[in-house]
Amino acid sequence: MHLPVKFGPHYHRSQKAAVRQVRAPSGQVYVQPMHRNAAQSWSAEDVFVGELYVLFIPFHRLSLSRIDDEIETVRRHLLDVRKKLVTTPATQRSRRWFLTDMLNHVLPKTEMLLHELRQLLDYYTADDVRYQLSVIRTTDEIQRRKEDIFEAAVEDSDTAMPRDVLRLSNGRFKDVIHSGNLLFALHRLKDLYQRKQHRGANHGGDEDDDMYGDMDAYDLGGG
C-alpha cells in the first residue's frame, strides 16, 4: 500500500494538515493551507484484493531478467486497471479515483523505479548491487542503534509504517527488495554510487558520467 499512498494524488489525507511551501521573490518561505476536495479522493476501503502491484525480490534473486519480468507484470497490471476503470460505475466515485491514480500515477511511476533499478543492475552488475544493498542495510542498522531510534517511521505519504518495512530490514524482510523499501533502496544506492563516482573523478576517473546523465530522467526524489 506504500507506493499507491506515496504516489496517489487523490489518496484521502484528511488526517493530516494540508499545507504547501511557497517561496517569495525575496527568498523567504511561507506556509499556505491547501484545500482538498474530499469528493475527489479514495481510501483503503476502495482497494479490492489483488489490485495492488506487489514487489518482493530476495537479494539473491535480483537480476536483469527478474526486473524485466517485474516491469512486464506492472504493464499487465496497468492494462487490467484500465479495464476496471472503464467498467466501474460512475456512482462509485471514490473507487474510480483510486483506479485513476493507479492508472495515471502509481503504476507508471513504479515502472520508472524498476527501470531505475534495472539501470543500476545493468551498469554495475547484480553482484555489486546486492553487495551494496547489504552494506546499506548494515550501516543503516548501526546508525539506528547509535542514535537509539526505535519509533515508527512516518513519511510524507501520511502513513505510519514500521522502520523495518520502509528501509532495508534486519528483521522478517531481511535481504529483500519490496514495495515498501524500493524508494529507500534506490535513493541510497544512487547516493552511494554517486559518491563513488565523485571519488573516482577526483582521481581522474569519469566512467560513470554517462550513466547518471541517463538516470536523471527517472529521478523521483527518493524516499
Side-chain angles (χ1 to χ4, degrees):
M1 191 69 177
H2 179 58
L3 293 178
V5 172
K6 180 79 173 179
F7 294 139
H10 296 102
Y11 174 70
H12 188 47
R13 293 174 168 85
S14 60
Q15 301 303 313
K16 182 178 179 180
V19 297
R20 64 178 176 180
Q21 291 186 341
V22 179
R23 185 177 298 276
S26 62
Q28 186 172 358
V29 176
Y30 297 91
V31 175
Q32 292 184 344
M34 294 174 60
H35 301 285
R36 294 193 175 103
N37 186 349
Q40 298 180 355
S41 65
W42 60 272
S43 67
E45 296 177 352
D46 299 302
V47 183
F48 294 173
V49 175
E51 290 185 334
L52 298 179
Y53 164 72
V54 178
L55 177 71
F56 192 92
I57 309 177
F59 285 4
H60 69 278
R61 294 189 179 277
L62 200 55
S63 66
L64 287 172
S65 60
R66 177 59 184 270
I67 298 302
D68 286 339
D69 290 343
E70 294 293 339
I71 291 172
E72 185 59 31
T73 298
V74 171
R75 290 173 177 171
R76 290 197 301 268
H77 204 77
L78 193 147
L79 290 175
D80 184 55
V81 169
R82 181 178 285 113
K83 292 177 183 177
K84 289 185 176 182
L85 181 59
V86 171
T87 58
T88 299
T91 53
Q92 299 180 19
R93 292 198 292 182
S94 60
R95 176 156 168 75
R96 286 183 61 84
W97 280 116
F98 162 70
L99 295 171
T100 297
D101 272 2
M102 289 290 288
L103 181 66
N104 296 327
H105 302 282
V106 179
L107 291 175
K109 289 182 178 179
T110 300
E111 182 179 345
M112 291 172 70
L113 291 175
L114 291 171
H115 277 290
E116 222 178 287
L117 180 56
R118 190 190 190 286
Q119 284 186 292
L120 289 172
L121 292 167
D122 186 40
Y123 198 86
Y124 292 105
T125 76
D127 285 341
D128 191 70
V129 169
R130 284 193 291 264
Y131 171 74
Q132 302 300 343
L133 286 171
S134 297
V135 169
I136 291 169
R137 174 179 52 76
T138 302
T139 55
D140 188 57
E141 177 66 13
I142 292 173
Q143 185 68 21
R144 184 191 72 83
R145 292 180 178 180
K146 181 179 179 181
E147 297 178 356
D148 197 27
I149 299 174
F150 293 99
E151 70 275 11
V154 180
E155 292 212 333
D156 59 1
S157 56
D158 303 329
T159 59
M161 295 185 181
R163 186 184 180 90
D164 276 359
V165 173
L166 296 179
R167 304 171 86 90
L168 296 175
S169 170
N170 268 321
R172 60 182 295 192
F173 297 120
K174 182 177 181 181
D175 295 341
V176 174
I177 291 286
H178 55 76
S179 304
N181 66 18
L182 177 60
L183 278 167
F184 171 80
L186 279 172
H187 179 71
R188 293 294 296 272
L189 279 171
K190 289 175 64 178
D191 180 65
L192 187 150
Y193 281 125
Q194 284 174 331
R195 282 189 278 111
K196 290 179 65 175
Q197 170 193 340
H198 293 325
R199 287 198 297 269
N202 290 336
H203 292 85
D206 58 357
E207 62 274 13
D208 292 343
D209 289 346
D210 291 341
M211 188 268 186
Y212 274 99
D214 292 339
M215 285 187 66
D216 285 344
Y218 293 106
D219 188 10
L220 297 177

